[in-house]
């Protein structure tokens, strides 16, 4: 009997939830705001779905309804990817240690 | 590129995203972590493009769109003031939600691209997954918009409640499930549109009853939703990177919501059902109004702090509103020159999002090793000479420990009342967001400084 590939994906999903659980608990509370902005940026990896939706398999006509929704999703995700990572970078650059007084 | 190879690259992206979050366990490693995240994203995008291998006009448009979106994002990221971070994050969540909806629509209209069957004959499992992804995405979108409007002050932070509100939400939620069932049975696209429309409405209705100061929970919750939406789409598109990321983000948001709820000693459902905060009068509200308070000016405050050997600063949302963080740092510098030991105490729910105060203090060049969390510093108040409370209120209210009648009873508080004297910068005696009077105002060792947080701090600097 063959196992449905869905089960494999479900396994990845469940295990990732556990990884997320342990990794996020180890995040220091002072970095919770950057945590939110970076999770926001990485969840925009949804852009790969948008790219496939808008480019793959379109036969000649690149402006059918399905592709247009794909294009819109690409813009939204791109705003998030650049905005999310850059703003995180900007915040993290501000966290400095106390200068050792001589 | 073979599908297997592509899947391996998606797995690598997923691992890099895990490392990105792992890096946030300390500020030193966090910058490297962010870099891992960027590399992971680049790998996912470039490999997807390579796998399509269609470098025709469509590709050109794609790069153009990436540039347009990217420059908007970069512009916002560089321009946004740190005090507006909660709105920004809420706004970004709404974009993830809407992107999820659009990808789901695209997959629904053109399922062949993703090998999900053909229009009108989509695999049942895929239909369920894409409906769930679209529905959660839609809720995230409108919910985040409402959160954004409330945080921005465009919409009042007061909870909006009406009769049978929660039953209507429940009904809408159930009807979504029923519609997904019929969608699978009939494959009719009108059911799909209806699911999305109802979810948009549900997103609005879920967030409007929640008060402004419960926003830390709301933002974390929407963060979590955006993750589950991404995971739903990941299942539809059979994409490992999306499934891993969705799960990571989903659990991250859930944990943050939990931490925020615990910081207020309220259950998650209590927050979600809303109606708390705003203008409601509470049990112990009016009665104590007549008690005498000691109020002082910047001179008194400067004198007290100059002669102290240790000072603990307790910042709250009021500091963010007044943009007082830079003035505060200057004041601390001046105190340090006088040999005063200064540290900062941060309550988990201070501000409008998790870690809000830490970012603002970091912006004002406060070293992060002078900033402490509640558990780390709470015992130090007993040995400290002056507690300088700036823009915080409820999180210092002793009623949280002592008054079982109080709505905030059981909430962990910063025990500022144990310090020798308390300086309380506040514009008036008005109760905090929870609508409860703060006993601390009337204590003998409390000196009220009635002024704008920034102005008062600047005046104190002059007198130091």
């Amino acid at each position: 009997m063959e196992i449905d590939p869905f089960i494999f994906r479900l396994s990845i999903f469940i295990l990732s939830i556990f990884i997320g659980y342990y990794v996020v608990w180890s995040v220091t509370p002072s970095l919770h705001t950057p945590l939110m902005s970076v999770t926001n940026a990485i969840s925009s990896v949804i852009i790969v779905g948008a790219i496939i939706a808008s480019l793959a398999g379109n036969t000649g006509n690149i402006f059918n309804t399905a592709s247009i929704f794909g294009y819109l999703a690409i813009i939204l995700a791109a705003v998030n990817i650049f905005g999310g990572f850059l703003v995180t970078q900007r915040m993290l650059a501000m966290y400095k240690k106390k200068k050792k007084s001589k | 590129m073979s599908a297997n190879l592509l899947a391996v690259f998606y797995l690598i992206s997923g691992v890099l995203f895990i490392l990105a979050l792992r890096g946030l366990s300390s500020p030193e490693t966090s910058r490297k972590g962010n870099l891992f995240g960027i590399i992971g994203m680049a790998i996912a995008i470039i490999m997807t493009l390579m796998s399509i291998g269609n470098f025709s006009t469509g590709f050109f448009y794609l790069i153009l769109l990436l540039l347009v979106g990217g420059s908007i994002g970069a512009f916002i990221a560089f321009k946004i003031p740190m005090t507006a971070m909660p709105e920004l994050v809420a706004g970004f969540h709404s974009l993830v939600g809407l992107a999820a909806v659009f990808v789901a629509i695209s997959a629904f209209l053109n399922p062949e691209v993703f090998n999900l069957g053909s229009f009108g004959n989509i695999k049942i499992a895929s239909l369920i997954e894409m409906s769930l992804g679209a529905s959660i995405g839609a809720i995230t979108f409108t919910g985040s918009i409402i959160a954004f409007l409330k945080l921005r002050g465009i919409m009042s932070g007061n909870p909006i409640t009406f009769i049978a509100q929660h039953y209507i939400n429940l009904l809408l939620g159930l009807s979504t499930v029923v519609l997904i069932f019929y969608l699978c049975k009939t494959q009719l696209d009108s059911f799909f549109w209806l699911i999305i429309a109802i979810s948009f409405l549900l997103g609005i209705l879920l967030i409007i009853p929640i008060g402004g100061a419960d926003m830390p929970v709301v933002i974390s919750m929407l963060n979590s939703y955006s993750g589950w939406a991404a995971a739903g789409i990941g299942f539809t598109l059979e994409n490992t990177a999306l499934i891993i990321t969705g799960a990571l983000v989903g659990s991250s948001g859930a944990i943050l919501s939990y931490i925020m709820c615990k910081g207020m000693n309220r259950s998650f459902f209590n927050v979600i059902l809303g109606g708390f905060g705003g203008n409601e009068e509470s049990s112990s509200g009016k009665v104590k109004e007549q008690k005498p308070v000691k109020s002082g000016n910047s001179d008194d405050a400067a004198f007290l702090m100059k002669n102290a050997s240790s000072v603990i600063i307790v910042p709250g949302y009021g500091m963010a509103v007044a943009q007082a963080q830079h003035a505060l740092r200057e004041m601390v510098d001046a105190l340090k020159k006088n040999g005063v030991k200064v540290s900062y105490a941060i309550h988990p729910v201070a501000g409008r999002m998790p870690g809000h105060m830490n970012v603002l203090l970091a912006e004002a060049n406060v070293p992060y090793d002078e900033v402490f969390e509640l558990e780390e510093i709470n015992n130090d108040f007993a040995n400290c000479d002056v507690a300088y409370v700036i823009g915080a209120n409820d999180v210092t209210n002793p009623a949280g420990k002592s008054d079982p009648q109080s709505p905030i009873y059981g909430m962990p508080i910063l025990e500022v009342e144990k310090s020798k004297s308390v300086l309380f910068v506040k514009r008036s005696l008005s109760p905090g967001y929870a609508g409860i009077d703060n006993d601390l105002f009337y204590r003998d060792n409390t000196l009220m400084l009635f002024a704008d947080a920034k102005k008062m701090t600047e005046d104190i600097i002059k007198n130091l």
Side-chain angles (χ1 to χ4, degrees):
Chain A
M1 205 170 73
E2 213 171 324
I3 299 171
D4 192 313
F6 172 80
I7 301 301
F8 286 116
R9 285 192 285 275
L10 188 67
S11 320
I12 295 173
F13 180 63
I14 303 287
L15 292 176
S16 301
I17 292 178
F18 277 91
I19 294 173
Y21 179 85
Y22 288 107
V23 169
V24 171
W25 270 115
S26 76
V27 171
T28 166
S30 66
L31 291 176
H32 276 164
T33 299
L35 171 67
M36 299 199 88
S37 60
V38 85
T39 50
N40 188 68
I42 63 173
S43 56
S44 307
V45 75
I46 201 162
I47 196 169
V48 301
I51 293 175
I52 298 172
S54 54
L55 281 195
N58 63 44
T59 46
N61 179 16
I62 52 165
F63 285 117
N64 60 46
T65 329
S67 307
I68 287 172
F69 276 111
Y71 289 137
L72 290 175
I74 290 174
I75 300 186
L76 296 176
V79 172
N80 245 324
I81 291 172
F82 282 79
F85 280 124
L86 288 174
V87 89
T88 310
Q89 189 110 322
R90 203 180 130 204
M91 277 192 274
L92 292 177
M94 300 185 312
Y95 282 82
K96 291 187 197 84
K97 241 188 162 146
K98 189 160 35 183
K99 284 196 199 87
K100 287 277 175 302
S101 50
K102 286 160 207 160
Chain B
M1 191 186 306
S2 78
N4 284 333
L5 189 58
L6 184 62
V8 171
F9 278 116
Y10 284 150
L11 181 63
I12 294 174
S13 292
V15 171
L16 286 168
F17 291 155
I18 295 171
L19 292 175
L21 299 193
R22 182 77 188 104
L24 290 171
S25 55
S26 97
E28 284 106 282
T29 54
S30 63
R31 286 170 274 257
K32 212 198 252 155
N34 199 38
L35 189 65
F36 282 141
I38 295 173
I39 297 172
M41 186 61 75
I43 290 177
I45 294 176
I46 293 170
M47 291 307 154
T48 308
L49 288 175
M50 304 254 291
S51 77
I52 296 173
N54 167 11
F55 296 98
S56 61
T57 38
F59 186 75
F60 168 75
Y61 285 115
L62 176 92
I63 299 295
L64 196 71
L65 295 174
L66 270 178
L67 283 178
V68 170
S71 25
I72 299 173
F75 180 79
I76 298 173
F78 285 117
K79 285 285 166 208
I80 191 93
M82 285 298 146
T83 39
M85 209 44 76
E87 295 98 290
L88 178 77
V89 169
F92 277 172
H93 287 158
S94 75
L95 298 184
V96 177
L98 195 59
V101 175
F102 285 168
V103 174
I105 292 177
S106 192
F108 181 77
L109 293 176
N110 196 5
E112 288 94 346
V113 175
F114 300 102
N115 299 321
L116 308 176
S118 57
F119 185 68
N121 188 22
I122 301 174
K123 282 188 269 177
I124 299 294
S126 309
L127 264 185
I128 298 176
E129 290 154 3
M130 71 173 76
S131 315
L132 282 177
S135 170
I136 302 171
I139 293 174
T140 312
F141 173 63
T142 48
S144 301
I145 297 278
I146 300 293
F148 176 86
L149 295 176
K150 285 196 175 199
L151 286 164
R152 193 88 212 157
I154 298 170
M155 208 172 133
S156 153
N158 289 339
I160 299 170
T161 47
F162 49 88
I163 301 162
Q165 191 165 27
H166 304 310
Y167 294 103
I168 293 175
N169 291 346
L170 190 65
L171 195 71
L172 289 175
L174 287 177
S175 54
T176 314
V177 177
V178 173
L179 283 170
I180 293 177
F181 176 76
Y182 278 104
L183 175 68
C184 295
K185 229 177 144 179
T186 62
Q187 300 264 352
L188 277 177
D189 59 342
S190 44
F191 284 118
F192 187 67
W193 303 123
L194 205 55
I195 291 168
I196 295 177
I198 290 181
S199 304
F200 276 138
L201 182 64
L202 192 56
I204 298 174
L205 292 177
L206 277 176
I207 308 300
I208 53 170
I210 304 178
D214 278 342
M215 283 301 143
V217 182
V218 171
I219 295 198
S220 319
M221 189 181 85
L222 291 167
N223 186 24
S224 180
Y225 285 1
S226 69
W228 304 130
I233 303 294
F235 274 103
T236 320
L237 310 187
E238 309 184 343
N239 184 316
T240 351
L242 256 176
I243 295 178
I244 297 177
T245 317
L248 289 178
V249 178
S251 51
S252 163
I255 291 172
L256 289 177
S257 316
Y258 171 79
I259 295 175
M260 293 300 110
C261 287
K262 214 167 142 244
M264 296 192 286
N265 189 40
R266 295 179 48 207
S267 77
F268 186 64
F269 283 103
N270 182 292
V271 175
I272 296 306
L273 294 180
F276 190 78
N279 297 325
E280 289 168 271
E281 284 298 324
S282 67
S283 55
S284 51
K286 282 269 157 124
V287 201
K288 294 172 183 166
E289 218 56 27
Q290 303 303 324
K291 283 195 195 166
V293 291
K294 277 199 297 185
S295 80
N297 58 26
S298 55
D299 221 4
D300 309 327
F303 178 79
L304 265 174
M305 285 201 271
K306 209 159 41 179
N307 293 302
S309 65
S310 66
V311 171
I312 298 179
I313 313 243
V314 181
Y317 182 58
M319 180 190 82
V321 174
Q323 305 256 22
Q325 66 270 30
H326 297 279
L328 187 66
R329 210 271 333 248
E330 280 171 42
M331 184 187 90
V332 170
D333 285 349
L335 285 173
K336 280 190 196 153
K337 261 186 211 142
N338 282 312
V340 183
K341 187 178 163 288
V342 186
S343 35
Y344 299 79
I346 305 214
H347 192 274
V349 294
R352 284 292 186 265
M353 75 183 293
H356 193 185
M357 290 301 121
N358 302 80
V359 172
L360 293 181
L361 292 177
E363 187 199 10
N365 284 324
V366 172
Y368 61 81
D369 39 7
E370 288 176 10
V371 182
F372 299 94
E373 304 300 319
L374 182 123
E375 310 88 60
E376 297 171 319
I377 201 166
N378 230 356
N379 291 327
D380 297 354
F381 282 108
N383 305 317
C384 114
D385 297 309
V386 178
Y388 186 70
V389 183
I390 172 165
N393 183 0
D394 292 333
V395 298
T396 64
N397 195 334
K401 279 184 307 178
S402 56
D403 178 9
Q405 305 299 319
S406 169
I408 61 163
Y409 181 68
M411 168 168 147
I413 62 150
L414 287 163
E415 297 172 333
V416 294
E417 83 275 8
K418 289 193 176 156
S419 47
K420 289 202 189 74
S421 42
V422 180
L423 295 171
F424 218 109
V425 188
K426 211 169 172 314
R427 267 178 302 213
S428 70
L429 263 190
S430 65
Y433 129 84
I436 0 164
D437 202 22
N438 193 341
D439 208 25
L440 207 55
F441 300 162
Y442 315 105
R443 300 252 171 132
D444 285 339
N445 61 345
T446 305
L447 190 66
M448 298 299 295
L449 305 168
F450 293 113
D452 172 75
K454 188 176 179 186
K455 189 158 181 312
M456 175 53 73
T457 309
E458 282 167 350
D459 288 349
I460 293 176
I461 299 171
K462 279 178 208 144
N463 287 310
L464 275 173

